[in-house]
């Protein structure tokens, strides 16, 4: 069974149709790269999967559970949205760390807020806090930030901030980790730091969806690739099929920009 099933998802903003009949599936442990020109709908698709935007149509399932069905009003209720987001961890292009919190506090925050809602929290507060802190420290150590845990975002480089953001996304143990152009705000050296972390996660068979303009990286790390254009999936397949033997002329035109010269 696919860990993620997306069927006929559509999304419009006003009169502009941004996603047009998007369908694909993703198996556990696979890495899906979404490529395409700016404005092709890649980020909107990620935001719909994370329910930061509500799709207008279609069906989204994770592990066989229907998270959204345009034909079923119950799945669109706001009261259920936060639960659905827990299936996905999202790493933003611009980090979106809380400036008033340290790296460690940023990673701990979401888990602590969730635990506070449980009936036994006040009786087990110290124990729960210690466990969350230990898990957050382990994640930051995994990101190579064991000596930066008490630093605030303004004391960190862009690459370090993005690694904190990755640790934060992993803290809730999501089914699928999503990246929205995670290196576009970084210089080449820091880009390499972040791509190395993502490659390590791929080697650990972390299920991921990555919106990226790093074509060589996408070709190297992906299980499958989707090329989007004007809200459509124009082409999808293995990295070899899309990058080496693309079928659509539009795909060839797009990829030629990265091979010229």
């Amino acid at each position: 069974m696919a860990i993620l099933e997306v069927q006929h998802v559509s999304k419009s903003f006003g009169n502009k149709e941004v996603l047009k009949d998007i369908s694909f599936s993703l198996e556990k442990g696979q890495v899906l790269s979404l490529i395409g020109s700016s404005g092709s709908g890649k980020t909107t698709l990620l935001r719909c999967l994370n329910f930061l935007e509500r799709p207008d149509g279609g069906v989204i399932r994770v592990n066989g559970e229907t998270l959204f069905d345009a034909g079923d009003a119950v799945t669109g209720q706001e009261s259920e949205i936060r639960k659905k987001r827990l299936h996905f961890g999202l790493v933003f292009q611009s980090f979106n760390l809380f400036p008033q919190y340290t790296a460690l506090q940023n990673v701990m925050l979401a888990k602590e807020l969730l635990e506070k809602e449980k009936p036994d929290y006040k009786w087990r507060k110290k124990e729960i806090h210690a466990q969350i802190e230990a898990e957050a420290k382990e994640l930051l150590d995994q990101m190579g930030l064991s000596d930066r845990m008490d630093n605030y975002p303004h004391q960190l480089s862009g690459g370090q901030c993005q690694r904190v953001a990755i640790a934060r996304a992993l803290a809730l143990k999501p089914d699928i980790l999503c990246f929205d152009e995670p290196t576009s705000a970084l210089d080449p050296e820091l880009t390499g730091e972040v791509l190395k972390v993502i490659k390590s996660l791929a080697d650990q068979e972390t299920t991921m969806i990555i919106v990226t303009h790093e074509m060589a990286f996408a070709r190297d790390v992906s299980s499958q690739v989707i090329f989007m254009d004007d809200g459509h999936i124009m082409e999808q397949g293995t990295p070899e099929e899309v990058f080496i033997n693309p079928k659509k002329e539009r795909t060839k035109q797009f990829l030629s920009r990265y091979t010229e010269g």
Side-chain angles (χ1 to χ4, degrees), residues 185-248:
L186 306 177
D187 64 35
E189 182 178 354
L190 300 180
T191 291
E193 291 179 13
V194 173
L195 294 182
K196 183 178 179 181
V197 169
I198 299 173
K199 178 64 166 61
S200 175
L201 292 170
D203 291 341
Q204 298 169 41
E205 298 189 344
T206 305
T207 309
M208 295 186 283
I209 301 175
I210 307 171
V211 171
T212 184
H213 289 288
E214 299 286 341
M215 296 299 115
F217 177 74
R219 188 170 59 235
D220 179 51
V221 79
S222 302
S223 308
Q224 59 174 307
V225 178
I226 286 177
F227 169 61
M228 293 185 65
D229 186 60
D230 191 30
H232 292 282
I233 291 179
M234 295 294 293
E235 191 154 359
Q236 63 185 106
T238 65
E240 293 78 12
E241 289 169 336
V242 175
F243 287 111
I244 300 175
N245 296 301
K247 297 176 181 177
K248 300 292 182 67

Side-chain angles (χ1 to χ4, degrees), residues 5-53:
E5 298 172 89
V6 176
Q7 299 176 344
H8 308 296
V9 165
S10 61
K11 176 65 181 176
S12 295
F13 295 103
N15 294 325
K16 182 172 178 55
E17 194 175 9
V18 180
L19 296 177
K20 305 170 184 177
D21 196 26
I22 300 296
S23 296
F24 65 91
S25 63
L26 185 65
E27 300 293 328
K28 184 176 177 60
Q30 286 190 330
V31 177
L32 167 64
S33 287
L34 299 176
I35 64 172
S37 302
S38 297
S40 59
K42 307 182 302 296
T43 292
T44 298
L45 175 55
L46 272 195
R47 291 178 65 85
C48 284
L49 293 178
N50 284 272
F51 297 98
L52 296 175
E53 302 287 353

Side-chain angles (χ1 to χ4, degrees), residues 42-43 45-53 85-93 95-97 162 164-172 174 176-182 209-211:
K42 307 182 302 296
T43 292
L45 175 55
L46 272 195
R47 291 178 65 85
C48 284
L49 293 178
N50 284 272
F51 297 98
L52 296 175
E53 302 287 353
R85 285 183 182 146
L86 295 177
H87 291 283
F88 299 90
L90 180 58
V91 179
F92 296 90
Q93 177 179 340
F95 325 134
N96 283 27
L97 299 178
Q162 195 61 294
V164 174
I166 294 171
R168 180 179 62 181
L170 288 168
L172 295 177
I176 303 164
L177 188 58
C178 301
F179 294 87
D180 184 13
E181 299 190 25
I209 301 175
I210 307 171
V211 171

